[in-house]
Amino acid sequence: QLQLQESGPGLVKPSETLSLTCTVSGGSISRSSYYWGWIRQPPGKGLEWIGSIYYSGTTYYNPSHKSRVTISVDTSKNQFSLKLSSVTAADTAVYYCARQGFSGSYFMAFDIWGQGTMVTVSS
Amino acid sequence: IVLTQSPDTLSLSPGERATLSCRASQTISSTYLAWYQQKPGQAPSLLIYGGSSRATGIPDRFSGSGSETDFTLTISRLEPEDFAVYYCQQYGSSLTFGGGTKVEIK
């Protein structure tokens, strides 16, 4: 059964770079039918998509964060990663990684999610 | 595309019918509309994709419908485990989530 697990520091200082990794187990990240995405949820608030990546390295980002976000993939480790630069307190959130279906011509929903990891931005 | 969900909170009793609304700021194909359920302390889980298709293992008391700018998630008879927050999501033009509707026990 496919599982996703987020990992990374739980505390990041303002102006620094938030770095998280999602490890995929129980299946290959290199399957052609899926993108792999990052979604976050500030405490007590709703969900916000950050961006997604294909195993080939093709990315697409939320325009609201595009200037600060880099998502990369390491197929040899079955992992993909998120870097968010110049963080502020507004970036404090639970960060989820998730699998997103891809038909070949259009994107689909997020069908498998990691449990999420809380990241706090504070000095 | 902005998704507006209503109401913010729905107070109902077990066994009652729940009707949740998701309104889009622009027309979207129902092909690109999904619904998720989130319970406290848990990740969201996919309920409905393609506007009306139930995800694997989702009971048939959950149904999705709608078109263009107005979409609905209906829970025909609320079970105790259905009290949660529900989000709609569109993935036809970039990707956005609605603000959520909390279904609470009356």
Side-chain angles (χ1 to χ4, degrees):
Chain A
Q1 183 177 357
L2 192 82
Q3 293 185 317
L4 286 73
Q5 178 68 58
E6 305 88 351
S7 60
L11 181 64
V12 181
K13 289 182 168 54
S15 80
E16 295 189 344
T17 297
L18 179 160
S19 296
L20 296 174
T21 296
C22 182
T23 300
V24 179
S25 59
S28 173
I29 201 170
S30 300
R31 287 187 63 180
S32 60
S33 304
Y34 300 102
Y35 268 68
W36 305 88
W38 289 98
I39 302 101
R40 72 180 184 180
Q41 184 172 36
K45 296 187 178 181
L47 301 165
E48 182 183 37
W49 171 68
I50 300 169
S52 300
I53 190 164
Y54 198 54
Y55 75 92
S56 63
T58 300
T59 53
Y60 77 115
Y61 298 130
N62 183 333
S64 299
H65 304 297
K66 190 172 183 178
S67 63
R68 297 195 293 136
V69 172
T70 302
I71 297 176
S72 59
V73 63
D74 186 336
T75 55
S76 67
K77 295 181 179 179
N78 231 30
Q79 295 175 333
F80 62 107
S81 299
L82 168 70
K83 290 188 185 301
L84 181 65
S85 64
S86 305
V87 297
T88 69
D91 295 308
T92 293
V94 175
Y95 284 76
Y96 297 100
C97 59
R99 187 180 78 170
Q100 181 179 16
F102 179 60
S103 72
S105 57
Y106 62 87
F107 297 103
M108 300 169 71
F110 293 105
D111 63 345
I112 299 176
W113 295 62
Q115 65 184 22
T117 187
M118 180 69 200
V119 178
T120 301
V121 178
S122 175
S123 56
Chain B
I1 296 177
V2 176
L3 299 178
T4 302
Q5 291 188 242
S6 62
D8 290 337
T9 303
L10 200 51
S11 298
L12 296 168
S13 301
E16 290 193 295
R17 182 184 187 88
T19 303
L20 287 67
S21 173
C22 177
R23 179 161 290 178
S25 60
Q26 303 174 38
T27 293
I28 57 174
S29 168
S30 62
T31 302
Y32 307 127
L33 198 287
W35 291 91
Y36 299 84
Q37 178 192 68
Q38 186 177 34
K39 296 179 181 179
Q42 297 184 17
S45 60
L46 180 63
L47 291 174
I48 301 287
Y49 64 93
S52 60
S53 298
R54 280 185 295 276
T56 303
I58 301 304
D60 61 7
R61 64 179 181 271
F62 290 92
S63 63
S65 63
S67 62
E68 297 189 343
T69 60
D70 290 302
F71 299 89
T72 300
L73 174 69
T74 301
I75 310 171
S76 59
R77 288 179 57 86
L78 282 164
E79 297 288 340
E81 61 268 27
D82 299 337
F83 291 91
V85 179
Y86 293 84
Y87 294 94
C88 59
Q89 177 211 16
Q90 68 80 24
Y91 39 93
S93 175
S94 188
L95 197 160
T96 50
F97 290 91
T101 290
K102 181 180 182 180
V103 179
E104 66 176 21
I105 299 176
K106 186 174 182 179

